[in-house]
Amino acid sequence: FQYLKRFDQGRSLDRFQYKALSVEGSPAECLQLLFQHCGVLDPSWAELRNFTWFLNIQLRDCEASVFCDPGFVGDTLNGF
């Protein structure tokens, strides 16, 4: 949710890191963003769960990768 919210606001995600246990927005806002970004017109709960699971793994791996660390790569991958 934290990434999707910032993405929708047009904010840069290059230096953003997930903040565990940080509460942002409402449950309704979270569902609205998930519906908007999951890629399925009328998703089931299973489809939403799979979307969030996949997105979470991808973002976690991205945060852990030295190749996505702005401190390491500088501005060579700006906007990646």
Side-chain angles (χ1 to χ4, degrees):
F1 175 75
Q2 294 174 10
Y3 274 96
L4 291 176
K5 182 176 179 181
R6 283 160 180 76
F7 177 76
D8 269 8
Q9 293 170 342
R11 295 167 56 187
S12 174
L13 300 174
D14 291 343
R15 297 194 181 272
F16 177 72
Q17 291 276 318
Y18 166 73
K19 297 173 185 79
L21 304 176
S22 173
V23 178
E24 294 184 18
S26 67
E29 185 181 8
C30 180
L31 278 175
Q32 181 182 9
L33 279 176
L34 292 176
F35 285 138
Q36 182 180 349
H37 290 282
C38 79
V40 178
L41 192 55
D42 187 17
S44 67
W45 286 112
E47 290 167 325
L48 286 176
R49 186 233 176 256
N50 288 338
F51 170 68
T52 57
W53 175 77
F54 177 77
L55 185 61
N56 185 52
I57 288 174
Q58 297 299 309
L59 293 171
R60 184 188 64 210
D61 290 349
C62 181
E63 284 186 355
S65 172
V66 68
F67 298 107
C68 295
D69 180 359
F72 178 73
V73 297
D75 63 357
T76 59
L77 297 175
N78 192 21
F80 175 70

